[in-house]
Amino acid sequence: MKILVTGFDPFGGEKVNPAIESVKLLPDTIAGAEIIKLEIPTVVYKSLDRIDAKIAECDPDVIVSVGQAGGRPDITVERVGINVNDCRIPDNEGNQPIDEPVYADGPAAYFSALPIKAMVKHINDAGIPASVSDTAGTFICNHVLYGVRYLCEHKYPGKKSGFIHIPFMTSQAVGKRGVPSMSLSDIVKGLTAAIEAIVLNEEDIKVTGGHEH
């Protein structure tokens, strides 16, 4: 099995992005699966173009995208991406689409094709806090979650994809009083566990992962 794991470059004024920093530190093989690592720009459509080209080059079975969710206290495995770009801030090239579809001919939403609850359990079992998330936002993370599923459905049938959000890493919390963070080593440990769960679980497990609000 080949798994393509993508991570964004820094954005929003941050000097680093724990997404690409953690992806770089992943083992080259996890649970027997070959891990292919890719840095992508925090830019609408260019991010998807970079992933599209790498899929064509490497033919992975699974695409896992990783993004920073500053303010979240745990690793969150996303359930769904929605067909909207509504950017609160400009991307890294100054684009700021508002209330525009990711793909005009796409459905309202795509669910992750990964075993999200098995991934959360495996991360928790590794001693790292994690939960299911029901919103990936409306910035470039959701853009990539939705857009890669669109590519898989239209261009690469049979490939699985999904998205994982990670907290700020510890160094980013300096000067941000009360903002949660996680060590880079724990983020890497959690992502490794999540990928192990993808390899080991063809189907997801049946446990609750819902929220009241």
Side-chain angles (χ1 to χ4, degrees):
M1 178 184 285
K2 290 183 184 179
I3 300 179
L4 172 61
V5 187
T6 76
F8 290 101
D9 61 3
F11 72 96
E14 295 291 331
K15 295 180 179 179
V16 295
N17 191 326
I20 188 55
E21 297 305 319
S22 57
V23 168
K24 288 176 183 176
L25 294 176
L26 289 172
D28 293 330
T29 303
I30 298 176
E34 177 185 352
I35 305 303
I36 303 162
K37 306 166 190 179
L38 178 68
E39 182 171 344
I40 60 174
T42 308
V43 179
V44 290
Y45 299 109
K46 278 193 176 182
S47 50
L48 294 175
D49 290 343
R50 187 77 56 86
I51 295 171
D52 189 1
K54 198 67 173 180
I55 294 172
E57 175 191 342
C58 298
D59 191 28
D61 302 286
V62 179
I63 304 95
V64 180
S65 299
V66 180
Q68 169 191 291
R72 292 190 185 182
D74 59 351
I75 293 175
T76 45
V77 183
E78 297 296 342
R79 190 194 300 261
V80 61
I82 60 175
N83 191 12
V84 65
N85 294 317
D86 189 6
C87 297
R88 182 182 62 82
I89 60 174
D91 69 14
N92 281 353
E93 292 189 355
N95 305 297
Q96 193 175 7
I98 296 173
D99 295 337
E100 297 178 4
V102 181
Y103 286 104
D105 63 340
Y110 281 119
F111 285 104
S112 169
L114 303 182
I116 61 170
K117 293 181 179 179
M119 292 163 69
V120 167
K121 182 179 186 302
H122 218 63
I123 299 168
N124 285 331
D125 288 347
I128 307 298
S131 59
V132 173
S133 167
D134 296 317
T135 175
T138 56
F139 192 51
I140 315 302
C141 291
N142 175 79
H143 179 83
V144 164
L145 169 54
Y146 183 93
V148 176
R149 283 305 318 141
Y150 179 95
L151 289 173
C152 290
E153 294 292 333
H154 288 78
K155 192 173 181 180
Y156 304 108
K159 296 190 184 301
K160 297 181 178 181
S161 71
F163 198 97
I164 302 172
H165 263 124
I166 58 176
F168 281 138
M169 61 186 185
T170 306
S171 64
Q172 292 176 283
V174 175
K176 299 182 178 74
R177 185 177 176 85
V179 173
S181 65
M182 186 177 289
S183 71
L184 184 58
S185 61
D186 277 351
I187 293 172
V188 173
K189 185 178 180 181
L191 292 178
T192 301
I195 294 168
E196 288 174 350
I198 294 169
V199 177
L200 297 174
N201 292 269
E202 183 68 24
E203 302 292 333
D204 206 357
I205 59 175
K206 193 75 170 180
V207 296
T208 184
H211 305 277
E212 294 177 5
H213 51 78

